[in-house]
């Protein structure tokens, strides 16, 4: 009997013989290797305490319902495994955007991405993030919370 397979990105179970993770879409081609997850502490499930730290909840697209705590800042978002918040989809640039503090404000800055960074329905180079702000990066729509 073979051992259950777990996705190296989101740690969800993967069906035997699958070529990709049904949860996050990570391609399981050839031998997979373990690597450290997002530098933000990984994916946190609903119902956990975020201790007053800013977070993004995926509201649409791959990983819908997952929560990413934005700590420590800055948080680099992209499709590259070296990014703090790894979004595995071809609509996301390798280094798509960065979220950082500017004094007492939370700011998102586009990193010259191909598809742009959208905040509340508008393409932005830079924008302030407040609770309730809707951020779209590629096929991922995420709501800001604190």
């Amino acid at each position: 009997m073979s051992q259950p397979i777990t996705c190296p990105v989101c740690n969800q179970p993967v069906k035997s013989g699958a070529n990709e993770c049904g949860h996050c879409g990570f391609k399981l081609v050839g031998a997979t290797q373990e690597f450290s997850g997002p530098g933000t502490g990984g994916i946190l499930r609903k119902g956990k305490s975020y201790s007053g730290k800013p977070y993004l909840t995926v509201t649409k697209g791959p990983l819908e319902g997952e929560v990413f705590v934005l700590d420590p800042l800055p948080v680099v978002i992209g499709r590259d495994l070296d990014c703090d918040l790894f979004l595995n989809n071809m609509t996301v640039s390798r280094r798509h955007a960065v979220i950082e503090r500017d004094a007492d404000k939370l700011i998102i800055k586009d990193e010259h991405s191909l598809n742009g960074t959208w905040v509340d329905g508008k393409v932005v180079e830079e924008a302030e993030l407040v609770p309730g702000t809707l951020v779209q990066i590629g096929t991922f729509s995420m709501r800001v919370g604190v």
Side-chain angles (χ1 to χ4, degrees):
M1 184 181 221
S2 65
Q3 191 156 354
I5 299 171
T6 303
C7 175
V9 173
C10 69
N11 294 318
Q12 296 296 310
V14 177
K15 291 181 182 178
S16 179
N19 292 330
E20 69 180 41
C21 174
H23 186 72
C24 73
F26 183 75
K27 302 289 183 203
L28 302 168
V29 179
T32 58
Q33 301 174 353
E34 285 191 30
F35 57 89
S36 60
T40 58
I43 299 172
L44 297 178
R45 305 283 177 227
K46 291 180 183 178
K48 298 235 178 174
S49 170
Y50 309 125
S51 304
K53 295 177 180 158
Y55 59 90
L56 294 174
T57 301
V58 181
T59 58
K60 187 176 179 185
L63 304 177
E64 185 173 342
E66 300 295 354
V67 178
F68 296 93
V69 175
L70 304 173
D71 183 60
L73 290 170
V75 171
V76 178
I77 302 170
R79 188 171 38 93
D80 192 291
L81 290 176
D82 290 333
C83 289
D84 300 307
L85 202 164
F86 172 67
L87 298 178
N88 186 30
N89 190 281
M90 291 303 293
T91 61
V92 178
S93 294
R94 291 186 191 280
R95 184 180 167 103
H96 199 103
V98 64
I99 297 176
E100 59 191 21
R101 281 239 180 253
D102 183 6
D104 60 345
K105 296 179 181 178
L106 192 62
I107 304 291
I108 188 166
K109 294 180 180 178
D110 186 76
E111 295 283 295
H112 310 289
S113 65
L114 183 61
N115 292 324
T117 298
W118 295 69
V119 174
D120 289 332
K122 297 177 182 172
V123 177
V124 299
E125 291 296 318
E126 181 177 314
E128 182 178 0
L129 300 178
V130 297
T133 300
L134 185 64
V135 175
Q136 184 174 345
I137 293 179
T139 58
F140 296 84
S141 290
M142 300 169 281
R143 184 87 48 197
V144 176
V146 179

Coordinates of all heavy atoms in Angstrom, one line a residue, residues 43-111:
I43 N -0.4 29.0 5.3 CA -1.9 29.2 5.2 C -2.5 28.9 6.5 O -2.2 27.9 7.2 CB -2.5 28.2 4.1 CG1 -1.9 28.5 2.8 CG2 -4.0 28.3 4.1 CD1 -2.3 27.5 1.7
L44 N -3.3 29.8 7.0 CA -4.0 29.7 8.3 C -5.4 29.4 8.0 O -6.0 30.0 7.1 CB -3.8 30.9 9.2 CG -2.4 31.2 9.6 CD1 -2.4 32.5 10.4 CD2 -1.8 30.1 10.4
R45 N -6.0 28.5 8.7 CA -7.4 28.1 8.5 C -8.3 29.1 9.2 O -8.0 29.8 10.1 CB -7.6 26.7 9.1 CG -6.7 25.7 8.5 CD -7.1 25.3 7.1 NE -6.1 24.3 6.6 CZ -5.6 24.4 5.4 NH1 -5.9 25.4 4.6 NH2 -4.8 23.6 5.0
K46 N -9.6 29.1 8.7 CA -10.6 29.9 9.3 C -10.8 29.6 10.7 O -10.6 28.4 11.1 CB -11.9 29.7 8.5 CG -12.0 30.3 7.1 CD -13.4 30.0 6.5 CE -13.4 30.4 5.1 NZ -14.7 30.1 4.5
G47 N -11.2 30.6 11.5 CA -11.4 30.3 12.9 C -10.2 30.4 13.8 O -10.4 30.4 15.0
K48 N -9.1 30.6 13.3 CA -7.9 30.8 14.1 C -7.7 32.3 14.4 O -8.2 33.1 13.7 CB -6.6 30.3 13.4 CG -6.7 28.8 13.1 CD -5.5 28.1 13.7 CE -5.6 26.7 13.4 NZ -4.5 25.9 13.8
S49 N -7.0 32.6 15.5 CA -6.8 34.0 15.9 C -5.6 34.6 15.1 O -4.6 33.9 14.9 CB -6.4 34.0 17.4 OG -6.0 35.3 17.7
Y50 N -5.8 35.8 14.6 CA -4.7 36.4 13.9 C -4.0 37.5 14.7 O -3.2 38.2 14.2 CB -5.3 37.0 12.6 CG -6.1 36.0 11.8 CD1 -7.4 36.3 11.4 CD2 -5.6 34.8 11.5 CE1 -8.2 35.3 10.7 CE2 -6.3 33.9 10.8 CZ -7.6 34.1 10.4 OH -8.3 33.2 9.7
S51 N -4.4 37.6 16.0 CA -3.7 38.5 16.9 C -3.6 39.9 16.4 O -2.5 40.6 16.6 CB -2.3 37.9 17.3 OG -2.4 36.6 17.8
G52 N -4.6 40.5 15.8 CA -4.6 41.8 15.3 C -3.7 42.1 14.1 O -3.4 43.3 13.8
K53 N -3.1 41.1 13.5 CA -2.2 41.3 12.4 C -3.0 41.4 11.1 O -4.1 40.7 11.0 CB -1.2 40.2 12.3 CG -0.3 40.1 13.5 CD 0.7 39.0 13.4 CE 1.6 39.0 14.7 NZ 2.1 37.8 15.0
P54 N -2.6 42.1 10.1 CA -3.3 42.2 8.8 C -3.3 40.8 8.1 O -2.3 40.1 8.3 CB -2.6 43.3 8.0 CG -1.2 43.4 8.6 CD -1.4 43.0 10.1
Y55 N -4.3 40.5 7.4 CA -4.4 39.3 6.7 C -5.2 39.4 5.4 O -5.9 40.4 5.2 CB -5.0 38.2 7.5 CG -6.4 38.4 8.0 CD1 -7.5 38.0 7.3 CD2 -6.6 39.1 9.3 CE1 -8.8 38.3 7.7 CE2 -7.9 39.3 9.7 CZ -8.9 38.9 9.0 OH -10.2 39.1 9.4
L56 N -5.0 38.5 4.5 CA -5.8 38.4 3.2 C -6.6 37.1 3.3 O -6.0 36.1 3.5 CB -4.9 38.4 2.0 CG -4.0 39.7 1.8 CD1 -3.1 39.5 0.6 CD2 -4.9 40.9 1.5
T57 N -7.9 37.2 3.0 CA -8.7 36.1 2.8 C -9.1 35.9 1.4 O -9.6 36.8 0.7 CB -10.0 36.2 3.6 OG1 -9.7 36.4 5.0 CG2 -10.9 35.0 3.5
V58 N -8.7 34.8 0.8 CA -9.0 34.5 -0.6 C -10.6 34.3 -0.8 O -11.1 33.4 -0.2 CB -8.3 33.3 -1.2 CG1 -8.6 33.1 -2.6 CG2 -6.8 33.4 -1.0
T59 N -11.2 35.2 -1.6 CA -12.6 35.2 -1.7 C -13.1 34.6 -3.0 O -14.3 34.3 -3.2 CB -13.2 36.6 -1.6 OG1 -12.6 37.5 -2.6 CG2 -13.0 37.2 -0.2
K60 N -12.1 34.5 -4.0 CA -12.5 33.9 -5.3 C -11.2 33.4 -5.9 O -10.2 34.0 -5.8 CB -13.1 35.0 -6.2 CG -13.7 34.5 -7.5 CD -14.3 35.6 -8.3 CE -14.9 35.1 -9.6 NZ -15.4 36.2 -10.4
G61 N -11.4 32.3 -6.6 CA -10.2 31.7 -7.4 C -9.6 30.5 -6.6 O -10.2 30.0 -5.6
P62 N -8.4 30.1 -7.1 CA -7.7 29.0 -6.4 C -7.5 29.4 -4.9 O -7.3 30.5 -4.6 CB -6.4 28.9 -7.1 CG -6.7 29.5 -8.5 CD -7.7 30.6 -8.2
L63 N -7.6 28.4 -4.0 CA -7.4 28.6 -2.6 C -8.5 29.4 -1.9 O -8.3 29.9 -0.8 CB -6.0 29.3 -2.3 CG -4.8 28.6 -2.8 CD1 -3.6 29.4 -2.5 CD2 -4.7 27.2 -2.3
E64 N -9.7 29.5 -2.5 CA -10.8 30.2 -1.9 C -11.1 29.8 -0.5 O -11.1 28.6 -0.2 CB -12.1 30.0 -2.8 CG -13.3 30.8 -2.3 CD -14.5 30.7 -3.2 OE1 -14.3 30.3 -4.3 OE2 -15.6 31.1 -2.7
G65 N -11.2 30.8 0.4 CA -11.4 30.5 1.8 C -10.2 30.5 2.7 O -10.2 30.5 3.9
E66 N -9.0 30.4 2.0 CA -7.8 30.4 2.8 C -7.4 31.8 3.3 O -7.8 32.8 2.7 CB -6.6 29.8 1.9 CG -6.9 28.4 1.5 CD -7.0 27.3 2.6 OE1 -6.7 27.7 3.8 OE2 -7.3 26.2 2.3
V67 N -6.6 31.8 4.3 CA -6.3 33.1 5.0 C -4.7 33.1 5.1 O -4.1 32.2 5.5 CB -6.9 33.2 6.4 CG1 -6.5 34.5 7.0 CG2 -8.4 33.1 6.3
F68 N -4.2 34.3 4.6 CA -2.7 34.5 4.7 C -2.5 35.7 5.7 O -2.9 36.8 5.4 CB -2.1 34.8 3.3 CG -2.2 33.7 2.3 CD1 -3.3 33.7 1.5 CD2 -1.3 32.7 2.3 CE1 -3.4 32.7 0.5 CE2 -1.4 31.7 1.3 CZ -2.4 31.7 0.5
V69 N -1.7 35.4 6.7 CA -1.4 36.5 7.7 C -0.2 37.2 7.1 O 0.8 36.6 6.7 CB -1.1 35.9 9.1 CG1 -0.6 37.0 10.0 CG2 -2.3 35.3 9.7
L70 N -0.2 38.5 7.1 CA 0.8 39.4 6.5 C 1.8 39.8 7.6 O 1.9 40.9 8.0 CB 0.2 40.6 5.8 CG -0.9 40.3 4.8 CD1 -1.5 41.6 4.3 CD2 -0.3 39.6 3.6
D71 N 2.6 38.8 8.0 CA 3.5 39.0 9.1 C 4.7 38.0 8.9 O 4.4 36.8 8.8 CB 2.9 38.8 10.4 CG 3.8 39.1 11.6 OD1 4.3 40.3 11.7 OD2 4.0 38.2 12.4
P72 N 5.9 38.5 8.9 CA 6.4 39.9 9.1 C 6.3 40.6 7.7 O 6.3 40.0 6.7 CB 7.8 39.7 9.5 CG 8.3 38.4 8.9 CD 7.0 37.5 8.9
L73 N 6.2 41.9 7.8 CA 6.2 42.8 6.6 C 7.6 43.2 6.3 O 8.4 43.3 7.2 CB 5.3 44.0 6.9 CG 3.8 43.7 7.0 CD1 3.1 44.9 7.5 CD2 3.2 43.3 5.6
P74 N 8.0 43.5 5.1 CA 7.1 43.4 3.9 C 6.9 42.0 3.5 O 7.6 41.1 3.8 CB 8.0 44.2 2.8 CG 9.4 43.9 3.3 CD 9.3 43.9 4.8
V75 N 5.8 41.8 2.7 CA 5.4 40.5 2.1 C 5.4 40.6 0.6 O 4.7 41.4 0.0 CB 4.0 40.1 2.6 CG1 3.5 38.8 1.9 CG2 4.0 39.8 4.1
V76 N 6.3 39.8 0.0 CA 6.4 39.8 -1.5 C 5.4 38.7 -2.0 O 5.4 37.6 -1.5 CB 7.8 39.5 -2.0 CG1 7.9 39.4 -3.5 CG2 8.8 40.5 -1.5
I77 N 4.6 39.1 -2.9 CA 3.5 38.2 -3.5 C 3.9 37.8 -4.9 O 4.2 38.7 -5.7 CB 2.2 38.8 -3.5 CG1 1.8 39.3 -2.1 CG2 1.1 37.9 -4.1 CD1 0.5 40.2 -2.0
G78 N 3.9 36.5 -5.2 CA 4.2 36.2 -6.6 C 4.2 34.7 -6.8 O 3.9 33.9 -5.9
R79 N 4.5 34.3 -8.0 CA 4.5 32.9 -8.5 C 5.9 32.2 -8.2 O 6.1 31.0 -8.4 CB 4.1 32.8 -9.9 CG 3.9 31.5 -10.5 CD 3.3 31.5 -11.9 NE 3.8 32.6 -12.8 CZ 4.8 32.4 -13.6 NH1 5.5 31.3 -13.7 NH2 5.1 33.5 -14.4
D80 N 6.9 33.0 -7.8 CA 8.2 32.4 -7.6 C 8.2 31.8 -6.2 O 7.7 32.4 -5.2 CB 9.3 33.6 -7.7 CG 10.7 33.0 -7.7 OD1 11.1 32.5 -6.6 OD2 11.3 33.1 -8.7
L81 N 8.9 30.7 -6.0 CA 8.9 30.0 -4.7 C 9.6 30.8 -3.7 O 9.4 30.5 -2.5 CB 9.6 28.6 -4.9 CG 8.8 27.6 -5.7 CD1 9.6 26.3 -5.8 CD2 7.5 27.3 -5.0
D82 N 10.4 31.8 -4.1 CA 11.1 32.6 -3.1 C 10.2 33.7 -2.5 O 10.6 34.4 -1.6 CB 12.4 33.3 -3.7 CG 13.4 32.2 -3.9 OD1 13.5 31.2 -3.2 OD2 14.3 32.5 -4.9
C83 N 9.0 33.9 -3.1 CA 8.1 34.9 -2.6 C 7.5 34.5 -1.2 O 7.4 33.3 -0.9 CB 6.9 35.1 -3.6 SG 7.4 35.9 -5.1
D84 N 7.2 35.5 -0.4 CA 6.7 35.2 0.9 C 5.3 34.7 0.8 O 4.9 33.8 1.6 CB 6.6 36.6 1.7 CG 8.0 37.2 1.9 OD1 8.9 36.4 2.4 OD2 8.2 38.3 1.5
L85 N 4.5 35.1 -0.1 CA 3.1 34.6 -0.4 C 3.1 34.1 -1.8 O 3.1 34.8 -2.7 CB 2.1 35.7 -0.2 CG 0.7 35.3 0.1 CD1 -0.1 36.5 0.7 CD2 0.0 34.7 -1.0
F86 N 3.2 32.8 -1.9 CA 3.3 32.0 -3.1 C 1.9 31.8 -3.7 O 1.0 31.1 -3.1 CB 4.0 30.7 -2.9 CG 4.0 29.8 -4.1 CD1 4.7 30.1 -5.2 CD2 3.4 28.6 -4.0 CE1 4.8 29.2 -6.3 CE2 3.4 27.7 -5.1 CZ 4.1 28.0 -6.2
L87 N 1.6 32.4 -4.9 CA 0.3 32.1 -5.6 C 0.6 31.4 -6.9 O 1.1 32.0 -7.8 CB -0.4 33.5 -5.8 CG -0.8 34.3 -4.6 CD1 -1.4 35.6 -5.0 CD2 -1.7 33.5 -3.7
N88 N 0.3 30.1 -6.9 CA 0.6 29.3 -8.0 C -0.4 29.3 -9.1 O -1.3 28.6 -9.2 CB 0.8 27.8 -7.5 CG 1.3 26.9 -8.6 OD1 2.1 27.4 -9.5 ND2 1.0 25.7 -8.5
N89 N -0.2 30.3 -10.0 CA -1.1 30.4 -11.2 C -0.4 31.3 -12.2 O 0.3 32.2 -11.9 CB -2.4 31.1 -10.8 CG -3.4 31.0 -11.9 OD1 -3.4 31.8 -12.8 ND2 -4.4 30.1 -11.7
M90 N -0.5 30.9 -13.5 CA 0.2 31.6 -14.6 C -0.2 33.0 -14.7 O 0.5 33.8 -15.4 CB 0.1 30.8 -15.9 CG 0.8 29.5 -15.9 SD 2.6 29.6 -15.5 CE 3.1 30.5 -17.0
T91 N -1.4 33.4 -14.2 CA -1.8 34.8 -14.3 C -1.1 35.7 -13.3 O -1.3 36.9 -13.3 CB -3.3 34.9 -14.1 OG1 -3.7 34.4 -12.7 CG2 -4.1 34.1 -15.1
V92 N -0.3 35.1 -12.4 CA 0.5 35.8 -11.4 C 1.9 35.9 -11.8 O 2.5 34.9 -12.2 CB 0.4 35.1 -10.0 CG1 1.2 35.8 -9.0 CG2 -1.1 35.0 -9.6
S93 N 2.5 37.1 -11.8 CA 3.9 37.3 -12.2 C 4.8 36.7 -11.1 O 4.4 36.5 -10.0 CB 4.2 38.8 -12.3 OG 3.5 39.3 -13.4
R94 N 6.0 36.3 -11.5 CA 6.9 35.7 -10.6 C 7.1 36.6 -9.3 O 7.2 36.1 -8.2 CB 8.3 35.5 -11.3 CG 8.2 34.4 -12.3 CD 9.6 34.0 -12.9 NE 9.5 33.2 -14.0 CZ 9.3 31.9 -14.0 NH1 9.1 31.3 -12.9 NH2 9.2 31.2 -15.1
R95 N 7.3 37.8 -9.5 CA 7.3 38.8 -8.4 C 6.3 39.9 -8.8 O 6.5 40.8 -9.5 CB 8.7 39.4 -8.3 CG 8.8 40.3 -7.1 CD 10.2 40.9 -6.9 NE 10.2 42.0 -6.0 CZ 10.6 41.9 -4.7 NH1 11.1 40.8 -4.3 NH2 10.6 43.0 -3.9
H96 N 5.1 39.7 -8.2 CA 3.9 40.4 -8.7 C 3.7 41.8 -7.9 O 3.5 42.8 -8.5 CB 2.6 39.6 -8.6 CG 1.5 40.1 -9.4 ND1 1.1 39.5 -10.6 CD2 0.6 41.1 -9.2 CE1 0.1 40.1 -11.1 NE2 -0.2 41.1 -10.2
A97 N 3.7 41.7 -6.6 CA 3.4 42.9 -5.8 C 4.1 42.7 -4.4 O 4.5 41.6 -4.0 CB 1.9 43.0 -5.6
V98 N 4.2 43.8 -3.7 CA 4.7 43.7 -2.3 C 3.8 44.6 -1.4 O 3.3 45.6 -1.8 CB 6.2 44.3 -2.3 CG1 6.3 45.7 -2.6 CG2 6.8 44.0 -0.9
I99 N 3.6 44.0 -0.2 CA 2.8 44.7 0.8 C 3.7 45.1 1.9 O 4.5 44.3 2.4 CB 1.6 43.8 1.3 CG1 0.7 43.5 0.2 CG2 0.9 44.6 2.5 CD1 -0.5 42.6 0.6
E100 N 3.7 46.4 2.3 CA 4.6 46.9 3.3 C 3.9 48.0 4.1 O 2.8 48.5 3.8 CB 5.9 47.4 2.6 CG 5.6 48.6 1.6 CD 6.9 48.9 0.8 OE1 7.8 48.1 0.7 OE2 6.9 50.0 0.3
R101 N 4.6 48.4 5.2 CA 4.1 49.5 6.1 C 4.8 50.7 5.6 O 6.0 50.8 5.3 CB 4.5 49.2 7.5 CG 3.6 48.3 8.2 CD 2.9 48.9 9.4 NE 2.0 47.9 10.0 CZ 0.7 47.9 9.9 NH1 0.1 48.8 9.3 NH2 0.0 46.9 10.4
D102 N 4.0 51.8 5.6 CA 4.5 53.2 5.4 C 3.9 54.0 6.5 O 2.8 54.4 6.4 CB 4.1 53.7 4.0 CG 4.7 55.0 3.7 OD1 5.5 55.5 4.5 OD2 4.3 55.6 2.6
A103 N 4.8 54.2 7.5 CA 4.3 54.9 8.7 C 3.2 54.0 9.3 O 3.5 52.8 9.6 CB 3.8 56.3 8.5
D104 N 2.0 54.5 9.5 CA 0.9 53.7 10.1 C 0.0 53.1 9.0 O -1.0 52.5 9.3 CB 0.1 54.5 11.1 CG -0.5 55.7 10.5 OD1 -0.1 56.1 9.3 OD2 -1.4 56.3 11.1
K105 N 0.4 53.2 7.7 CA -0.5 52.7 6.7 C 0.1 51.4 6.1 O 1.3 51.2 6.0 CB -0.6 53.7 5.5 CG -1.2 55.0 5.9 CD -1.3 56.0 4.8 CE -1.9 57.3 5.2 NZ -1.9 58.2 4.1
L106 N -0.9 50.5 5.6 CA -0.5 49.3 4.9 C -0.6 49.6 3.4 O -1.7 50.1 3.0 CB -1.5 48.2 5.4 CG -1.1 46.8 5.0 CD1 0.2 46.3 5.6 CD2 -2.2 45.8 5.4
I107 N 0.4 49.4 2.7 CA 0.5 49.8 1.3 C 0.8 48.5 0.4 O 1.6 47.7 0.8 CB 1.7 50.8 1.1 CG1 1.5 52.0 2.0 CG2 1.8 51.2 -0.4 CD1 0.3 52.9 1.6
I108 N 0.1 48.4 -0.7 CA 0.5 47.4 -1.7 C 1.1 48.2 -2.9 O 0.6 49.2 -3.3 CB -0.7 46.6 -2.2 CG1 -0.2 45.4 -3.0 CG2 -1.8 47.4 -2.8 CD1 -1.2 44.3 -3.2
K109 N 2.2 47.6 -3.4 CA 2.9 48.2 -4.6 C 3.0 47.1 -5.7 O 3.5 46.0 -5.4 CB 4.3 48.7 -4.2 CG 4.3 49.9 -3.3 CD 5.7 50.3 -2.9 CE 5.7 51.5 -2.0 NZ 7.0 51.9 -1.6
D110 N 2.6 47.5 -6.9 CA 2.8 46.5 -8.0 C 4.3 46.5 -8.4 O 5.0 47.5 -8.4 CB 2.0 47.0 -9.2 CG 2.0 46.0 -10.4 OD1 1.3 45.0 -10.3 OD2 2.8 46.3 -11.3
E111 N 4.8 45.3 -8.7 CA 6.2 45.2 -9.0 C 6.4 45.0 -10.6 O 7.0 44.1 -11.0 CB 6.8 44.0 -8.3 CG 6.8 44.2 -6.8 CD 7.9 45.1 -6.3 OE1 9.1 44.7 -6.5 OE2 7.6 46.2 -5.8

